Amino acid sequence: NVRSSSPIMEGILNAGGFTNRSNRKKITLLRLNNNGKIEKNTFFNDDAVKKQIFLKDRDVIFVDAGSLAKTSNNLKKLVEPIKPIIDATTFYKIFFD
């Protein structure tokens, strides 16, 4: 939890900061308006710092995964179904070759 009127970067740092897998350039802010609608704004890190975007109560910040993390996740999803076959083949080569 972060105080209302805190800069957006303080909110990110309070949550633990950026990770190795984060896209540090793209930040998405979801804000619940008074009329009950959710407003979605995407900022680039430099813009968020320059414009001094401040948080309000019930704001949610998302930091997307970086391109390397997305590629890694997609590759893992592709290889996962054939992993048992690869493991069995490796086991066989180690002990029977």
Side-chain angles (χ1 to χ4, degrees), residues 3-81:
R3 283 187 343 257
S4 167
S5 75
S6 297
I8 194 168
M9 293 308 293
E10 185 177 325
I12 292 170
L13 292 173
N14 228 9
F18 294 109
T19 66
N20 294 350
R21 300 174 60 85
S22 299
N23 180 355
R24 296 169 185 254
K25 296 179 183 177
K26 187 178 174 185
I27 300 167
T28 302
L29 175 68
L30 298 180
R31 177 167 286 164
L32 181 64
N33 291 329
N34 293 335
N35 62 5
K37 292 187 178 185
I38 296 175
E39 179 183 341
K40 178 181 176 184
N41 292 308
T42 301
F43 304 99
F44 293 97
N45 195 352
D46 295 337
D47 292 340
V49 173
K50 286 178 190 173
K51 291 180 182 176
Q52 286 296 317
I53 298 166
F54 295 99
L55 299 173
K56 293 183 180 180
D57 286 338
R58 298 179 289 175
D59 280 356
V60 179
I61 304 168
F62 287 102
V63 178
D64 200 15
S67 58
L68 183 59
K70 287 180 181 177
T71 303
S72 171
N73 289 343
N74 289 336
L75 187 58
K76 183 179 177 183
K77 287 178 187 176
L78 286 172
V79 173
E80 203 166 312

